[in-house]
């Protein structure tokens, strides 16, 4: 190979094989573009927990870094509009407040706060990329143990939006305990006790984690 061609190869190689974004850089770039993680997952038609795993994997395919870099930059107003649109396309599932009969579940306060029009039959469905072999535990509509092999005591979670009276957007929570509870339909589900930086604790069901939280891929030693 002559010297001129060698220089071209040396100059061109970083464009084909650039270093993978770190976990922090991947998430920071999304934030710099003005996006919430849950909204990005909706744009890409993947589950929020799938995006969380992608962000935490520094051996991820280069295409994900390219997708993050290509996100349009949103203003604060556009960001709120995107979130409202997501909640309209994918309404949060009815929630049952403590002491409320199972048949009288109420909609998440996040949908109300965003002014989203909640519809019983949303046209949008989560999809997975053809090349991704997703575990059954991450397919929508499965039982309430879909986070069982994904979250455990010590796992850190980040709030993708404010959680009423408990955590601000971007706050980091840590899973301190798990238990088996009952979902609004009477089925079994695993629930996760999360603790905020102030020491407040709250139990979250899988559906609430879908709506409000994503993993940052980090673990804490709670011994």
């Amino acid at each position: 190979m002559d010297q001129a061609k060698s220089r071209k190869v040396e100059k061109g190689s970083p464009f084909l094989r650039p270093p993978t974004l770190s976990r922090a850089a991947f998430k920071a770039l999304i934030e710099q573009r003005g996006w919430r993680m849950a909204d990005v997952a909706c744009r890409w038609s993947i589950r929020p927990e799938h995006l969380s795993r992608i962000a935490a994997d520094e051996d991820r395919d280069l295409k994900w870094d390219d997708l993050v870099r290509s996100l349009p930059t949103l203003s604060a107003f556009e960001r709120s509009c995107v979130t409202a649109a997501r909640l309209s396309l994918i309404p949060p599932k009815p929630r049952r407040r403590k002491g409320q009969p199972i048949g009288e579940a109420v909609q998440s306060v996040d949908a109300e706060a965003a002014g989203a029009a909640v519809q019983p039959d949303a046209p949008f469905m989560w999809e997975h990329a053809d090349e991704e072999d997703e575990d059954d535990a991450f397919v929508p509509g499965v039982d309430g143990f879909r986070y069982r092999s994904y979250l455990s005591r010590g796992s850190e979670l980040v709030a993708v939006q404010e959680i009423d009276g408990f955590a601000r957007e971007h706050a980091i929570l840590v899973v301190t305990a798990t238990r088996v509870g009952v979902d609004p339909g009477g089925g079994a589900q695993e629930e996760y006790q999360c603790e905020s930086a102030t020491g407040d604790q709250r139990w979250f069901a899988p559906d609430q984690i879908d709506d409000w939280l994503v993993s940052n891929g980090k673990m804490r030693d709670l011994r």
Side-chain angles (χ1 to χ4, degrees), residues 136-168:
D136 289 342
F138 291 93
V139 177
V142 300
D143 64 27
F145 293 86
R146 57 185 173 275
Y147 285 100
R148 177 170 46 191
S149 59
Y150 179 52
L151 295 178
S152 59
R153 190 170 180 271
S155 297
E156 287 190 3
L157 297 171
V158 181
V160 297
Q161 58 193 84
E162 183 174 354
I163 301 174
D164 53 303
F166 180 72
R168 295 181 179 180

Side-chain angles (χ1 to χ4, degrees), residues 11 19 25 44 63 68-69 124 143 145 159 162 191 212 216:
K11 188 174 182 64
W44 294 348
K63 68 183 179 183
V68 169
R69 293 186 178 103
F124 183 90
D143 64 27
F145 293 86
E162 183 174 354
E191 297 173 343
W212 296 332
N216 62 8

Side-chain angles (χ1 to χ4, degrees), residues 3-63:
Q3 191 172 12
K5 187 172 183 180
S6 178
R7 285 199 299 268
K8 284 186 176 180
V9 170
E10 184 178 356
K11 188 174 182 64
S13 293
F15 290 97
L16 296 177
R17 295 292 185 270
T20 304
L21 290 171
S22 68
R23 299 172 185 176
F26 189 92
K27 289 175 177 288
L29 194 52
I30 289 176
E31 185 175 343
Q32 289 168 14
R33 294 284 194 269
W35 287 77
R36 291 185 170 94
M37 290 282 285
D39 295 337
V40 172
C42 179
R43 177 183 172 93
W44 294 348
S45 295
I46 60 177
R47 294 284 299 174
E49 61 267 25
H50 184 193
L51 177 57
S52 181
R53 288 191 294 168
I54 290 169
D57 181 9
E58 295 190 357
D59 291 324
R60 75 183 77 86
D61 193 293
L62 176 62
K63 68 183 179 183

Side-chain angles (χ1 to χ4, degrees), residues 196-218:
S196 68
T198 61
D200 294 331
Q201 295 182 334
R202 176 169 172 175
W203 286 96
F204 290 88
D207 288 344
Q208 292 172 313
I209 294 176
D210 287 348
D211 293 340
W212 296 332
L213 300 165
V214 293
S215 170
N216 62 8
K218 296 180 180 179

Side-chain angles (χ1 to χ4, degrees), residues 59-192:
D59 291 324
R60 75 183 77 86
D61 193 293
L62 176 62
K63 68 183 179 183
W64 297 110
D65 289 4
D66 288 343
L67 283 170
V68 169
R69 293 186 178 103
S70 67
L71 284 172
T73 300
L74 303 178
S75 66
F77 176 70
E78 289 170 335
R79 173 188 172 106
S80 66
C81 291
V82 168
T83 297
R86 169 175 60 84
L87 291 169
S88 179
L89 285 169
I90 315 166
K93 296 179 182 179
R95 308 254 187 254
R96 181 166 60 90
R97 300 189 192 281
K98 186 176 181 180
Q100 184 181 24
I102 289 177
E104 298 179 9
V106 296
Q107 295 294 337
S108 165
V109 294
D110 292 302
E112 298 168 1
V118 177
Q119 302 174 8
D121 297 308
F124 183 90
M125 292 294 291
W126 290 110
E127 296 177 356
H128 297 276
D130 291 337
E131 66 274 21
E132 295 291 341
D133 292 325
E134 286 294 296
D135 297 332
D136 289 342
F138 291 93
V139 177
V142 300
D143 64 27
F145 293 86
R146 57 185 173 275
Y147 285 100
R148 177 170 46 191
S149 59
Y150 179 52
L151 295 178
S152 59
R153 190 170 180 271
S155 297
E156 287 190 3
L157 297 171
V158 181
V160 297
Q161 58 193 84
E162 183 174 354
I163 301 174
D164 53 303
F166 180 72
R168 295 181 179 180
E169 184 178 354
H170 305 312
I172 296 178
L173 310 178
V174 60
V175 177
T176 56
T178 64
R179 70 183 182 190
V180 175
V182 179
D183 66 22
Q189 65 179 7
E190 192 165 45
E191 297 173 343
Y192 302 85

